[in-house]
Amino acid sequence: MTQGRLPRGLLDTCAVIDLPDIDPARLPLEIAVPSVVLAELAQGVAMAKDPVVMMERAQRLSDVEAEFDAIPFGREAARRFGTIVALILKAGRDPRPRKMDLLIAAIAAAEDLPLFTRNTDDFKGLDSLVRIMTV
């Protein structure tokens, strides 16, 4: 069933990690991932201390790279990032601990795509610039 599903959207890192547990009806018809998500997944591989966990994470990264288009962080995303930081500051929040999430949001804003997440608190205060979808 595709009725009511958005045509295209971006997944943040937590949505990518939890993808096997997400009802496909809650996702867009066409999924892409910000390049920043690939960076976070690669970081997870590098930080794994257990070799089994490392292999699982490496396989997830490989699967994501093969299955989804990666949307780069480009010039327009860099411009939007400044606006996003200003919005976060206006909301009384510190942008520093959530830089990766804000970079992901900047890509969504630059591409005019909804951002699908399982952790909407990461994007509080950005509703005027990014459409945040809970999965």
Side-chain angles (χ1 to χ4, degrees), residues 42-65:
Q43 177 184 347
V45 173
M47 293 181 71
K49 292 179 177 33
D50 181 298
V52 173
V53 171
M54 181 182 284
M55 290 304 298
E56 289 170 348
R57 290 178 180 180
Q59 184 62 55
R60 178 181 296 120
L61 173 58
S62 178
D63 292 346
V64 170
E65 289 174 329

Side-chain angles (χ1 to χ4, degrees), residues 34-95:
S35 56
V36 174
V37 167
L38 299 179
E40 284 194 296
L41 293 175
Q43 177 184 347
V45 173
M47 293 181 71
K49 292 179 177 33
D50 181 298
V52 173
V53 171
M54 181 182 284
M55 290 304 298
E56 289 170 348
R57 290 178 180 180
Q59 184 62 55
R60 178 181 296 120
L61 173 58
S62 178
D63 292 346
V64 170
E65 289 174 329
E67 189 170 346
F68 304 115
D69 287 336
I71 307 296
F73 185 87
R75 183 177 294 153
E76 186 59 29
R79 287 188 188 113
R80 299 290 177 106
F81 182 74
T83 303
I84 284 171
V85 168
L87 288 170
I88 291 296
L89 290 169
K90 183 179 177 184
R93 301 176 75 207
D94 182 359

Side-chain angles (χ1 to χ4, degrees), residues 83-84 86-88 90-91 93 120-130 132:
T83 303
I84 284 171
L87 288 170
I88 291 296
K90 183 179 177 184
R93 301 176 75 207
T120 56
D121 286 347
D122 289 344
F123 304 100
K124 269 187 185 171
L126 302 181
D127 305 44
S128 64
L129 193 60
V130 181
I132 306 298

